[in-house]
Amino acid sequence: MDRHVKIVSWNINSVRFRIEIVERFLRDVQPDILCLQETKVVDQDFPRAAFRALGYDWIIVHGQRMHHGVAIVSRVPLEADDRLDWQANQEARHLGVRLPGGVRLENVYVPAGGDVPDREANPKFGQKLDFLGRMTDWSAGLAGPTILTGDFNIAPLPEDVWSHKQLLDVVSHTPVEVETLAALQAAGDWVDLGRHFHPAPARLHTWWSYRAKDWAASDRGRRLDHMWATRDVAAQATGHTVFEDCRNWLKPSDHIPIMTEFAF
């Protein structure tokens, strides 16, 4: 590709409802590629015109009415897209493309897993672990330079949550989820670029609940959104940014955008 490339991931929690802040972000930051999760729109209703008006001419979508959904929009060419069914029920939770130069970019929306961290009492939690298990199998057979990004719905490190002790029994930070995500990371020898550039114990949150009256004052954040890369691609990464101020914007998502820059 021979250029500096900025890749962003953002769980937008309905792309049509929040299109104004997406447009604002794209104008302000000018990323080359934007990976969205939880778009909540069928493919034919995706707001393509808004993106094309800002120069994002490559638009690949994998949508679903009211729930889930992922998309990748880009100012650089995208090809060889695929949609893997890691949920094993046709939910729209993955979208992968190939960038110029051959790097794969995989955008994933891992299930939240419900409220009870028990596979028997809560089938959604079991589905989440199984989803990650299928990702691990895929990762073990991976060949070629790859970036894996999206809403993983797991905050793996004690420093990735506002209170490790208080969240040990809360879905997204339970030991079994952390162990499962670690197995996925080991299977592909992935580099966690967020923590590569901001090592623990640095504060690094990407999600704050809507339930808080003042999210910034309570600051009960978690790092649920991630950018990973195979080691060959990670060696070309030059920086990683979290855009915390976006949580203050009009009609915000509960997630903020994250961005990694690469010198491909």
Side-chain angles (χ1 to χ4, degrees), residues 189-258:
D189 194 24
W190 296 101
V191 177
D192 175 352
L193 294 170
R195 283 305 182 188
H196 175 73
F197 286 102
H198 306 276
R203 180 183 178 282
L204 196 64
H205 297 160
T206 69
W207 175 92
W208 294 261
S209 174
Y210 285 129
R211 295 175 184 174
K213 184 176 294 186
D214 185 334
W215 74 272
S218 59
D219 195 25
R220 296 191 171 191
R222 308 177 201 175
R223 186 172 73 106
L224 303 182
D225 304 271
H226 301 267
M227 187 87 65
W228 288 2
T230 51
R231 292 199 174 270
D232 47 358
V233 181
Q236 300 175 80
T238 61
H240 183 86
T241 306
V242 295
F243 295 89
E244 194 164 311
D245 187 55
C246 291
R247 189 62 177 79
N248 283 320
W249 288 6
L250 181 67
K251 297 192 300 188
S253 172
D254 44 357
H255 296 255
I256 59 170
I258 62 171

Side-chain angles (χ1 to χ4, degrees), residues 78-146:
L78 304 177
E79 58 182 18
D81 53 286
D82 63 1
R83 296 152 181 79
L84 302 178
D85 187 16
W86 287 324
Q87 184 75 331
N89 64 0
Q90 285 75 57
E91 288 183 2
R93 291 184 175 274
H94 168 267
L95 183 61
V97 296
R98 186 168 65 238
L99 309 181
V103 174
R104 290 291 306 179
L105 174 61
E106 311 289 348
N107 178 20
V108 64
Y109 177 31
V110 176
D115 295 325
V116 180
D118 182 279
R119 177 185 286 274
E120 302 305 320
N122 172 24
K124 289 183 178 180
F125 190 71
Q127 287 180 328
K128 179 178 188 175
L129 298 179
D130 293 342
F131 185 105
L132 292 162
R134 295 183 189 99
M135 284 186 69
T136 300
D137 293 341
W138 162 84
S139 187
L142 199 63
T146 306

Side-chain angles (χ1 to χ4, degrees), residues 4-205:
H4 200 71
V5 177
K6 295 191 269 188
I7 300 178
V8 168
S9 175
W10 195 359
N11 179 319
I12 194 58
N13 192 11
S14 179
V15 65
R16 290 188 295 176
F17 183 70
R18 304 187 207 284
I19 191 63
E20 290 86 0
I21 63 170
V22 176
E23 292 171 318
R24 175 181 172 182
F25 180 83
L26 294 177
R27 286 192 298 265
D28 290 353
V29 179
Q30 297 285 311
D32 297 284
I33 301 169
L34 172 63
C35 298
L36 294 170
Q37 304 90 39
E38 205 172 353
T39 54
K40 294 184 176 178
V41 60
V42 293
D43 291 353
Q44 59 266 32
D45 292 336
F46 189 86
R48 290 172 174 82
F51 291 101
R52 291 194 173 117
L54 292 170
Y56 294 84
D57 293 329
W58 283 269
I59 300 171
I60 313 293
V61 295
H62 184 197
Q64 189 168 350
R65 189 179 303 278
M66 299 298 294
H67 298 286
H68 322 309
V70 285
I72 302 176
V73 302
S74 176
R75 301 192 299 191
V76 301
L78 304 177
E79 58 182 18
D81 53 286
D82 63 1
R83 296 152 181 79
L84 302 178
D85 187 16
W86 287 324
Q87 184 75 331
N89 64 0
Q90 285 75 57
E91 288 183 2
R93 291 184 175 274
H94 168 267
L95 183 61
V97 296
R98 186 168 65 238
L99 309 181
V103 174
R104 290 291 306 179
L105 174 61
E106 311 289 348
N107 178 20
V108 64
Y109 177 31
V110 176
D115 295 325
V116 180
D118 182 279
R119 177 185 286 274
E120 302 305 320
N122 172 24
K124 289 183 178 180
F125 190 71
Q127 287 180 328
K128 179 178 188 175
L129 298 179
D130 293 342
F131 185 105
L132 292 162
R134 295 183 189 99
M135 284 186 69
T136 300
D137 293 341
W138 162 84
S139 187
L142 199 63
T146 306
I147 298 165
L148 175 64
T149 193
D151 176 5
F152 292 7
N153 262 313
I154 297 174
L157 303 182
E159 297 86 357
D160 288 340
V161 294
W162 65 273
S163 173
H164 171 60
K165 183 176 180 180
Q166 294 184 65
L167 293 180
L168 275 173
D169 294 326
V170 174
V171 173
S172 80
H173 191 60
T174 63
V176 65
E177 291 171 280
V178 171
E179 291 167 8
T180 302
L181 190 65
L184 168 60
Q185 186 173 6
D189 194 24
W190 296 101
V191 177
D192 175 352
L193 294 170
R195 283 305 182 188
H196 175 73
F197 286 102
H198 306 276
R203 180 183 178 282
L204 196 64
H205 297 160

